[in-house]
Amino acid sequence: MKLIYVFDAYCGWSHGFSPTLREVASRHPELDVDVVSGGLFTGSRRVPVREFGYVQGANAQIAELTGVEFGEAYGRLIADGSFVMDSQAAARGVAALRRAAPARGVELATALQHAFYVDGLSLSDRATYRKVAEQAGLDADEVVASFEAADAQGAAEGDFARARALGVDAFPTLLAADGAATTVLARGRAGADDVERRLAAFAATRS
């Protein structure tokens, strides 16, 4: 059995789910966690953030319900309104970090969201991946090269295709998988204890 976490690095609710994800992963070190990027801001949705008038209100709600931090640098970025969230670039970065440390997907995905939502760093900027890699003790040159490699776009599209194949169209979604069988443990907001109960129920059907 393993867990599959489908998120978008530019999704505020995914940021809000980070504490639950880390807690679930810490409770179950025996379970691998596949981290898969969704394509929330691609195509016609890749526009200046000012065009999404709900962002600041949604962030306030997320912070109230989950306790996660939205930093001052991020607040200035959103207030300016010109920043463009590009989920394909973010997915390339997730894939680059995943390639460098396959077993640390949860840690690195949540670190990347911290870089955006707290530090206000662009997930389209190679310097962001250098910083995250250095803080994680990874080879930063390798991560940046992977982010900028010719096959990076294919890695991002591969993640988007996998999310669709899993039937996931809302982020974040946490799944448990055992062979061909999968079940949804959480979609959107959930606590670690809620996830634990659903995971135990699924495991019972597989024994």
Side-chain angles (χ1 to χ4, degrees):
M1 187 182 299
K2 67 179 178 180
L3 304 179
I4 305 172
Y5 180 56
V6 187
F7 85 124
D8 192 286
Y10 278 126
C11 169
W13 286 104
S14 294
H15 177 51
F17 191 72
S18 292
T20 295
L21 178 66
R22 290 193 297 266
E23 175 63 21
V24 170
S26 71
R27 291 184 187 185
H28 293 281
E30 78 282 3
L31 296 179
D32 291 336
V33 185
D34 289 352
V35 175
V36 181
S37 292
L40 185 58
F41 297 104
T42 60
S44 62
R45 287 177 57 81
R46 195 161 48 192
V47 295
V49 71
R50 69 169 64 92
E51 298 194 22
F52 300 103
Y54 59 83
V55 170
Q56 289 173 311
N59 290 344
Q61 182 183 23
I62 294 165
E64 180 180 359
L65 292 174
T66 68
V68 295
E69 178 186 2
F70 291 86
E72 291 182 6
Y74 166 77
R76 290 192 294 271
L77 191 72
I78 296 303
D80 173 75
S82 62
F83 182 76
V84 176
M85 295 181 289
D86 182 349
S87 290
Q88 186 175 83
R92 284 166 38 214
V94 169
L97 291 164
R98 186 174 61 208
R99 182 179 297 177
R104 297 169 64 186
V106 169
E107 170 196 348
L108 295 169
T110 57
L112 200 58
Q113 292 212 281
H114 186 281
F116 178 59
Y117 281 107
V118 178
D119 299 333
L121 301 178
S122 170
L123 304 185
S124 296
D125 189 341
R126 68 200 304 267
T128 300
Y129 299 98
R130 180 170 296 281
K131 179 178 180 179
V132 171
E134 288 174 347
Q135 290 177 337
L138 302 177
D139 185 328
D141 289 338
E142 177 185 322
V143 169
V144 170
S146 183
F147 170 66
E148 296 180 330
D151 63 350
Q153 183 172 337
E157 294 295 340
D159 268 22
F160 299 162
R162 187 177 181 196
R164 290 192 297 270
L166 289 165
V168 174
D169 58 6
F171 313 116
T173 296
L174 180 65
L175 306 167
D178 186 13
T182 62
T183 191
V184 175
L185 301 178
R187 181 178 289 118
R189 185 169 67 94
D193 290 342
D194 294 330
V195 172
E196 191 75 24
R197 285 191 290 270
R198 292 167 189 150
L199 179 59
F202 179 65
T205 69
R206 307 304 297 167
S207 59

